[in-house]
C-alpha cells in the first residue's frame, strides 16, 4: 500500500499508552494493524516488553486520527502489564523520547 501522512508542524504533547500486549513483536503489531484496516501503523514508536524501541509511523507525521489533538501529538505504545511494572530499559526508552522533545506535555493512558 502506498500513501503519505500529513507532516506534523508542531509537537505539543507526547501520548504514552501502556498496554499489556503479551510480549507481542513489532512485526505482529504491524500485521494486526494492517488487518484492522490501518494504512499506517497508528503509533510513532513502540517499546517492547524488553525495552527495545521500534519506529512505527514517521516521527515527523501526525498521529493517528483516533488520538485527541492528533495534529500535534507524538504517540508511543509500551508493552507492559502495568505502568508500575515498567522495566528500567522501558523507562530509559521513554526518557530518551521525552528528552528529544524537551519541555512538553506528557499524557498517559492505561
Amino acid at each position: 500500500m502506498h500513501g503519505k501522512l500529513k507532516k506534523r508542524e508542531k509537537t505539543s504533547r507526547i501520548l504514552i499508552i501502556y498496554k499489556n500486549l503479551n510480549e507481542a513483536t513489532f512485526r505482529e503489531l504491524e500485521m494486526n494493524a494492517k488487518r484492522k484496516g490501518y494504512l499506517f501503523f497508528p503509533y510513532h514508536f513502540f517499546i517492547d516488553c524488553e525495552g527495545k524501541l521500534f519506529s512505527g509511523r514517521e516521527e515527523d507525521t501526525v498521529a493517528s486520527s483516533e488520538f485527541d489533538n492528533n495534529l500535534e501529538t507524538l504517540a508511543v505504545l509500551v508493552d507492559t502489564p502495568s505502568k508500575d511494572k515498567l522495566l528500567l530499559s522501558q523507562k530509559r526508552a521513554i526518557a530518551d523520547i521525552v528528552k528529544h522533545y524537551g519541555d512538553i506535555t506528557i499524557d498517559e493512558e492505561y
Side-chain angles (χ1 to χ4, degrees):
M1 282 192 228
H2 298 284
K4 190 172 181 175
L5 290 170
K6 182 177 179 178
K7 296 291 183 188
R8 192 176 61 252
E9 295 182 22
K10 175 183 176 185
T11 305
S12 65
R13 78 174 184 145
I14 297 174
L15 174 61
I16 303 171
I17 300 159
Y18 303 97
K19 284 189 181 179
N20 185 356
L21 299 167
N22 298 310
E23 301 182 10
T25 66
F26 179 65
R27 184 72 183 134
E28 290 170 333
L29 294 176
E30 276 187 314
M31 294 306 294
N32 287 340
K34 287 184 190 286
R35 278 188 215 106
K36 290 178 181 178
Y38 287 97
L39 182 58
F40 300 95
F41 189 67
Y43 307 93
H44 294 95
F45 294 105
F46 169 60
I47 301 171
D48 75 5
C49 64
E50 296 176 351
K52 293 178 189 161
L53 181 65
F54 296 87
S55 293
R57 61 179 52 212
E58 292 180 34
E59 188 174 348
D60 64 348
T61 61
V62 299
S64 173
S65 61
E66 70 186 57
F67 304 123
D68 291 337
N69 192 22
N70 74 309
L71 298 179
E72 296 183 7
T73 297
L74 180 88
V76 180
L77 177 63
V78 182
D79 183 7
T80 183
S82 74
K83 184 183 176 191
D84 299 334
K85 296 189 179 194
L86 282 174
L87 300 175
L88 182 58
S89 57
Q90 289 174 311
K91 290 178 184 177
R92 285 182 181 147
I94 292 168
D96 287 346
I97 293 168
V98 170
K99 181 180 176 182
H100 177 75
Y101 284 91
D103 188 22
I104 193 167
T105 300
I106 308 296
D107 289 327
E108 299 175 310
E109 289 183 7
Y110 308 95

